[in-house]
């Protein structure tokens, strides 16, 4: 009888720890000066030139939503993307990386809610408030998201506007 109770407790605790997919927590949200598309391009450019291991493992997607005057940068871990082979794997020191173009992909914002692609490391939304300012919101991994947020602040301080 004791063995059955122990097995039941173990199974219940295992089931309690299993949960479905979780929404990434919000990490940062702040208004800042600049143009949303220029800031997004600047952040992606800085991230692509970063040589840290945790950033080199990421592939970036720059999306432009003209209907709501916003840009969004997604970062995906390349190890978990389909189509990654030894020749382009970030774990291969001899790999040839194919970085995405810095030009944003223009999409209607209505497609934003139907995203079913691979899990992202972070998502950075930069939305226009007025002609001179934007609201930036970052959610996702605290480590790589924090690095992206530092680059965003640096881009905003430089005064990226076009």
């Amino acid at each position: 009888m004791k063995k059955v109770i122990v097995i039941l407790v173990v199974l219940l605790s295992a089931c309690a720890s299993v949960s479905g997919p979780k929404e990434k927590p919000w990490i940062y949200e702040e208004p800042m000066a600049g143009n949303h598309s220029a800031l997004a391009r600047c952040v992606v450019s800085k991230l692509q030139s970063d040589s840290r291991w945790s950033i080199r493992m990421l592939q970036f997607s720059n999306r432009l939503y003209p209907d709501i005057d916003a840009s969004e940068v997604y970062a995906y871990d390349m190890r978990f993307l389909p189509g990654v082979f030894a020749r382009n794997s970030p774990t291969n020191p001899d790999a040839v990386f194919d970085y995405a173009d810095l030009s944003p992909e223009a999409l209607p914002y209505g497609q934003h809610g139907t995203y079913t692609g691979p899990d992202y490391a972070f998502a950075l939304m930069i939305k226009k408030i007025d002609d001179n300012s934007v609201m930036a919101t970052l959610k996702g991994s605290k480590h790589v998201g924090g690095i992206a947020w530092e680059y965003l602040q640096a881009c905003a301080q430089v005064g990226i506007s076009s």
Side-chain angles (χ1 to χ4, degrees), residues 21 24 61 63 74-77 80-82 111-121:
K24 299 285 184 177
S61 171
R63 299 178 182 177
Y74 278 97
Y76 307 102
D77 191 325
F80 306 118
L81 291 176
Q111 290 184 358
H112 175 268
T114 59
Y115 177 73
T116 59
D119 195 20
Y120 55 85

Side-chain angles (χ1 to χ4, degrees), residues 6-79:
V6 169
I7 292 172
L8 186 60
V9 168
V10 169
L11 286 175
L12 287 175
S13 64
C15 291
S17 66
V18 175
S19 61
K22 295 180 181 178
E23 181 69 19
K24 299 285 184 177
W26 293 105
I27 298 175
Y28 302 104
E29 187 169 37
E30 181 181 317
M32 51 186 61
N35 173 283
H36 65 87
S37 61
L39 287 171
R41 279 193 311 270
C42 177
V43 169
V44 171
S45 174
K46 287 183 178 292
L47 286 167
Q48 286 182 341
S49 64
D50 194 315
S51 63
R52 286 179 270 195
W53 175 259
S54 58
I55 301 298
R56 282 192 65 224
M57 301 294 277
L58 301 175
Q59 178 74 41
F60 304 100
S61 171
N62 185 1
R63 299 178 182 177
L64 176 65
Y65 304 114
D67 50 341
I68 63 166
D69 284 330
S71 293
E72 192 167 32
V73 175
Y74 278 97
Y76 307 102
D77 191 325
M78 288 177 51
R79 295 171 296 177

